[in-house]
Amino acid sequence: MEFILVTSQAQPNVALIQLNRPKELNALNLQLMGELRDALKQLDEDENVRAIVITGNERAFAAGADIKQMAGKTAIDMLNIDQFSTWDQIRKTKKPIIAAVSGFALGGGCELAMTCDMIIASETAMFGQPEIKIGVMPGAGGTQRLTKAIGKAKAMEMVLTGKFMPAEEAEKQGLINRVVPVELYLEEAFKLAGEIAQMSPVAIKLAKESVNRAFETQLDEGLHFERKNFYLCFASEDQTEGMNAFVEKRRPEFKGK
Ligand code: CAA
């Protein structure tokens, strides 16, 4: 594994996955997501693991999908690569996953945290779906999960303006479980994971499946719709302009083409 660190017994019966591309603020490139998929599959099959914590570092949980890797892609490339199909494994993981978030959780980073079952945040955490600023839209569940978590009006504003939501507000809106001082967020996530790890693994698995079932049929359809629209953004000149502007560190000029 090059971009993640896995400790299967970070605490008794609790595994830890740390995203580890600190220089790039843990931008989620294809390789990292492949590694994450494989690690989750392994941990899900490991009977000594009863709960999983995913974290980044103090500065960033993850600043989104890797814009540099996507910048030159066409809609057909995106359709063929189908990068978000890797994400389905996270959703299929039967054991509970807790995201321990500090710093940036943006775009795919926010989507990854929301795909987990619970979120513990440090007081420096910032959640956001800023894809609109680079000429695209969320593609890994943001339009669906954020809307279900905080309601249409707030989600619409975040998705259409790219504005960030600080941890304290995210807690008020029900996006996350709780906020703790930065030196405690990982410990707090372990505490929660440890508590869950003491319950019956069978009951935990069935209970998680049932809570998810509350919105899953609708979610499947919504995710499919969103994914296709995200790939379609890559047919626009605005996507090329938006992502190139990010890479070249300048303001984009969008033309609606
Ligand atoms: N992809 C690739 N590289 C990224 C990145 C990303 N999403 N986010 C940050 N980086 C890189 C930067 O390019 C920079 O690299 P260099 O040192 O080589 O220039 C490095 O990480 C540090 O970033 P900054 O210098 O920009 O740090 P900052 O503190 O000034 O700003 C930030 C931090 C506000 C998070 C800014 O980096 C930023 O806006 N990042 C992009 C956020 C974003 O748009 N995310 C959505 C991506 S698209 C997506 O996720 C689609 C989806 O639905 C899955």
Side-chain angles (χ1 to χ4, degrees):
M1 303 276 185
E2 187 181 350
F3 295 130
I4 63 172
L5 301 170
V6 183
T7 315
S8 59
Q9 293 291 311
Q11 306 269 304
N13 303 120
V14 176
L16 175 69
I17 299 178
Q18 184 178 14
L19 310 179
N20 191 32
R21 286 188 83 200
K23 229 172 63 57
E24 294 82 7
L25 305 183
N26 292 330
L28 305 166
N29 65 11
L30 291 173
Q31 187 182 330
L32 187 155
M33 288 310 297
E35 291 177 6
L36 183 59
R37 173 201 55 207
D38 295 346
L40 283 171
K41 196 160 185 305
Q42 258 182 26
L43 295 173
D44 215 22
E45 286 162 6
D46 180 343
E47 59 183 34
N48 294 314
V49 171
R50 293 183 173 192
I52 300 162
V53 174
I54 300 182
T55 196
N57 55 53
E58 260 184 45
R59 186 169 175 219
F61 178 71
D66 191 323
I67 301 169
K68 291 168 190 165
Q69 197 170 54
M70 293 184 297
K73 300 278 187 286
T74 65
I76 301 303
D77 292 335
M78 293 304 283
L79 213 56
N80 286 337
I81 298 167
D82 195 14
Q83 68 189 67
F84 296 136
S85 57
T86 321
W87 293 60
D88 293 336
Q89 178 59 41
I90 308 167
R91 223 157 61 91
K92 283 193 208 142
T93 305
K94 297 187 177 77
K95 291 174 185 165
I97 310 177
I98 297 165
V101 176
S102 183
F104 300 113
L106 305 176
C110 186
E111 290 166 311
L112 176 58
M114 292 191 293
T115 307
C116 296
D117 301 304
M118 285 159 283
I119 302 175
I120 301 292
S122 93
E123 59 207 351
T124 66
M126 281 285 179
F127 297 86
Q129 298 291 158
E131 291 90 343
I132 206 75
K133 293 183 176 170
I134 51 168
V136 293
M137 56 172 278
T143 63
Q144 307 299 299
R145 291 198 177 88
L146 192 63
T147 309
K148 285 182 201 302
I150 66 174
K152 178 178 163 180
K154 297 272 182 197
M156 193 69 92
E157 187 174 345
M158 283 179 77
V159 170
L160 299 193
T161 66
K163 239 182 247 166
F164 300 165
M165 181 180 275
E168 202 182 320
E169 174 73 5
E171 185 185 20
K172 269 194 218 136
Q173 297 300 332
L175 179 62
I176 65 176
N177 294 69
R178 55 191 158 278
V179 189
V180 294
V182 67
E183 60 279 10
L184 292 181
Y185 74 100
L186 195 53
E187 195 180 315
E188 185 70 17
F190 277 134
K191 215 194 281 173
L192 179 58
E195 200 179 326
I196 292 166
Q198 288 173 38
M199 309 296 171
S200 150
V202 178
I204 287 286
K205 184 171 88 174
L206 295 174
K208 167 173 168 166
E209 195 184 13
S210 303
V211 172
N212 281 338
R213 192 50 67 94
F215 58 92
E216 216 137 57
T217 339
Q218 246 187 330
L219 183 66
D220 264 340
E221 211 180 295
L223 287 176
H224 183 70
F225 194 83
E226 177 200 71
R227 197 176 288 184
K228 281 280 149 54
N229 278 351
F230 179 81
Y231 296 160
L232 187 61
C233 288
F234 286 73
S236 73
E237 290 175 18
D238 282 351
Q239 170 272 324
T240 311
E241 167 63 8
M243 292 199 170
N244 284 343
F246 176 82
V247 174
E248 291 157 16
K249 299 183 189 294
R250 59 175 174 82
R251 283 177 79 85
E253 257 190 67
F254 294 126
K255 301 209 165 93
K257 288 189 182 156

